[in-house]
Amino acid sequence: LTKEGKTEMQSTGKKVGGVDISSISKILHLSPPEVSLLERIEKEMTIGLRVNCGDETMILNAYVVYHSTARGPAKGGIRLAPNVTLEETRDLAERMTWKTALTHIPFGGGKTGIRIDPRTLTSFTKSLIIARLVQEIRNELVSGNDYIPAPDLGTGPPEMAVIYNEIRNPECVTGKPTHVGGLPGRKEATGRGVSYSTIYALEHIHSIDVKKSKIAVQGFGNVGSWASKFLYEKGAKIVAVSDIEGGTYNPEGLDIPKLFEYSKKNRTIKGVGGKVITNEDLFSLDVDVFIPAAVENVIDKNTANKIKAKIVVEGANGPTTHEGDIILSKKGKTVIPDILANSGGVIASYVEWKSSKSGSITKRQEVYDTIEEGIGSSYKDVIAAAERYKISYRNAAAVIAVDEVVKAMHDRGWA
Ligand code: NAD
């Protein structure tokens, strides 16, 4: 650290990762050097990834960000998306730091973004891209102490198997296929956690029986479809779900198991089992819970004003903009922040990593139980901090997470 508490590490430049460090630092009475360390990204790489596909060579922009390894190896998925940027990758890496800290998992936060539309790729080309990425970051993967990747948008178990094949160590990656150390229950883990978060908010915060609740879900991919399925099984009425093409609305409740199966074989669930509804109209439905489980920044200053639901459970990463958040707060909505609501995925990843390390076998129910215990315990911490400091659940979750990271930095002699 220099006199001003500045380091040579990259500055995030602006508030990203959903946490406003300067306001959280006032609550925690952090010193300027502590704030400075928290605001900086530990390491990031911009790579021109040359992928030789036989008849052509693709050059792809790849971003690898290790936001913090204070609490353990940087944990975070590999995203293939046509519009991914370094800034988005930083934001997602930082969210992972707070998510692992809030849930007390011994990992830090990281992320990889590769700028390519995965829909244009064959699975073979995807595997070439991932193998090339591994060549670039082999040292970090081999050490097991720097970066532990996982799937994100555009990648899945087959791509994680490529990493396993290259490094030949099962604990270097999570989200592997089940026959090579992957976890039963990993694919539905995030949705399972989102459903549990929703039930917790309904029953413990609002005293609404889940069986009497009405819910709308934006996004019917991995997170949204599994969350809908588990909530349906608990007796909730899921009145609307949507995907990128549009949604379907039935005030009497949708047949979610049917839609779930339908979505596996068809491109869109728009208008299936209900009336066609736009993603725009989804916000203004008269429901108890709105679950954004699609993409970032969908709840902004315009859409936040339309939301009638009492509770917003952030299934997606960063679905609410800063302006949107202020409006939801003024309207008295209960917002369950992403780092709490969708932490089921990383909790399951931790279980997979532990099993890979020890060689133990983990049953699906054990995974579910660990997710529920982990989220339940984080909920209690967040509610207690919100009451203690008179702050929102989002800020309460951030206070706990930042405090954990600061303590780890002190324990390691960094601060
Ligand atoms: P996915 O690709 O499986 O599904 C995304 C869904 O959102 C699809 O139904 C898609 O059609 C829909 N969608 C895309 N753009 C949309 C738009 N503009 N409006 C409405 N719907 C739109 O992705 P996923 O794995 O379910 O991830 C969804 C979100 O959850 C992402 O923000 C991701 O980072 C986050 N997340 C995922 C996991 C996980 O384990 N999969 C874990 C934590 C967080």
Side-chain angles (χ1 to χ4, degrees):
L1 288 177
T2 65
K3 259 192 204 154
E4 302 79 31
K6 300 259 189 286
T7 71
E8 294 306 307
M9 287 182 271
Q10 279 283 330
S11 165
T12 58
K14 64 194 270 273
K15 195 194 92 177
V16 291
V19 168
D20 180 356
I21 298 290
S22 65
S23 58
I24 299 300
S25 71
K26 285 183 195 126
I27 297 171
L28 290 172
H29 305 293
L30 300 181
S31 67
E34 285 168 336
V35 172
S36 182
L37 267 174
L38 285 167
E39 281 182 341
R40 272 147 211 282
I41 285 169
E42 249 175 69
K43 187 171 177 180
E44 62 185 28
M45 285 170 265
T46 298
I47 304 167
L49 205 63
R50 283 185 317 280
V51 186
N52 185 338
C53 306
D55 45 357
E56 59 159 346
T57 298
M58 293 193 292
I59 302 183
L60 308 176
N61 287 328
Y63 312 104
V64 182
V65 178
Y66 309 140
H67 173 261
S68 170
T69 59
R71 300 184 59 265
K75 186 85 190 84
I78 301 175
R79 172 171 293 198
L80 303 186
N83 50 1
V84 76
T85 59
L86 175 59
E87 192 167 316
E88 179 183 300
T89 312
R90 286 170 171 169
D91 181 281
L92 293 164
E94 183 167 348
R95 279 176 207 277
M96 288 304 293
T97 299
W98 310 134
K99 204 181 290 184
T100 51
L102 175 66
T103 46
H104 304 290
I105 292 170
F107 290 143
K111 202 83 184 181
T112 297
I114 303 179
R115 203 176 168 91
I116 179 94
D117 185 346
R119 289 170 303 185
T120 63
L121 303 171
T122 61
S123 53
F124 177 67
T125 311
K126 263 195 206 183
S127 71
L128 291 177
I129 294 171
I130 300 300
R132 269 293 291 131
L133 174 74
V134 170
Q135 283 176 7
E136 294 289 340
I137 58 169
R138 179 175 292 276
N139 287 347
E140 284 94 327
L141 295 172
V142 167
S143 86
N145 299 317
D146 294 313
Y147 180 40
I148 304 173
D152 192 68
L153 302 182
T155 59
E159 287 70 42
M160 301 309 111
V162 172
I163 299 175
Y164 181 24
N165 287 344
E166 294 285 323
I167 304 295
R168 285 180 279 156
N169 177 357
E171 65 195 71
C172 73
V173 57
T174 62
K176 299 181 287 295
T178 41
H179 296 290
V180 285
L183 206 62
R186 173 60 188 92
K187 69 175 180 304
E188 67 266 38
T190 307
R192 177 94 191 173
V194 170
S195 72
Y196 184 72
S197 297
T198 305
I199 295 167
Y200 203 103
L202 277 165
E203 299 195 334
H204 294 268
I205 303 176
H206 282 266
S207 303
I208 300 172
D209 182 352
V210 62
K211 293 189 181 66
K212 299 202 172 109
S213 68
K214 286 197 285 178
I215 298 175
V217 182
Q218 185 187 55
F220 205 65
N222 177 283
V223 178
S225 65
W226 281 104
S228 302
K229 193 163 184 284
F230 288 125
L231 285 163
Y232 175 92
E233 285 166 7
K234 290 286 179 186
K237 203 181 262 187
I238 315 290
V239 296
V241 298
S242 73
D243 58 32
I244 194 164
E245 309 217 352
T248 180
Y249 171 59
N250 183 343
E252 300 311 315
L254 294 161
D255 185 340
I256 294 296
K258 243 189 192 166
L259 268 179
F260 190 85
E261 291 311 315
Y262 184 90
S263 71
K264 285 187 191 158
K265 295 177 205 117
N266 296 278
R267 214 189 61 219
T268 178
I269 43 85
K270 181 177 163 188
V272 180
K275 278 190 271 177
V276 172
I277 184 169
T278 63
N279 267 301
E280 196 67 21
D281 288 342
L282 201 73
F283 292 101
S284 44
L285 289 177
D286 191 11
V287 289
D288 300 296
V289 186
F290 177 67
I291 305 179
V295 283
E296 300 86 40
N297 300 329
V298 289
I299 304 179
D300 56 18
K301 59 180 187 298
N302 300 317
T303 52
N305 270 314
K306 296 182 181 173
I307 291 180
K308 293 207 184 90
K310 301 170 195 66
I311 305 167
V312 174
V313 178
E314 295 187 333
N317 283 318
T320 312
T321 66
H322 185 56
E323 293 81 9
D325 205 33
I326 292 169
I327 293 167
L328 292 181
S329 160
K330 278 191 189 146
K331 288 173 75 181
K333 306 294 182 191
T334 300
V335 179
I336 307 305
D338 53 2
I339 62 170
L340 172 59
N342 70 28
S343 59
V346 78
I347 295 173
S349 289
Y350 171 57
V351 178
E352 180 179 335
W353 176 78
K354 269 200 312 185
S355 299
S356 294
K357 256 180 135 45
S358 65
S360 61
I361 294 165
T362 312
K363 298 221 162 62
R364 186 180 305 265
Q365 192 55 47
E366 209 179 316
V367 178
Y368 289 175
D369 292 346
T370 311
I371 292 171
E372 290 176 12
E373 269 167 42
I375 293 184
S377 140
S378 300
Y379 246 110
K380 285 187 193 119
D381 295 347
V382 167
I383 291 172
E387 281 167 7
R388 178 173 171 199
Y389 298 113
K390 311 260 173 294
I391 51 178
S392 66
Y393 292 138
R394 187 187 305 286
N395 284 340
V399 163
I400 297 163
V402 169
D403 190 40
E404 281 292 311
V405 175
V406 170
K407 282 180 178 145
M409 292 189 323
H410 278 285
D411 283 352
R412 296 186 70 171
W414 295 4

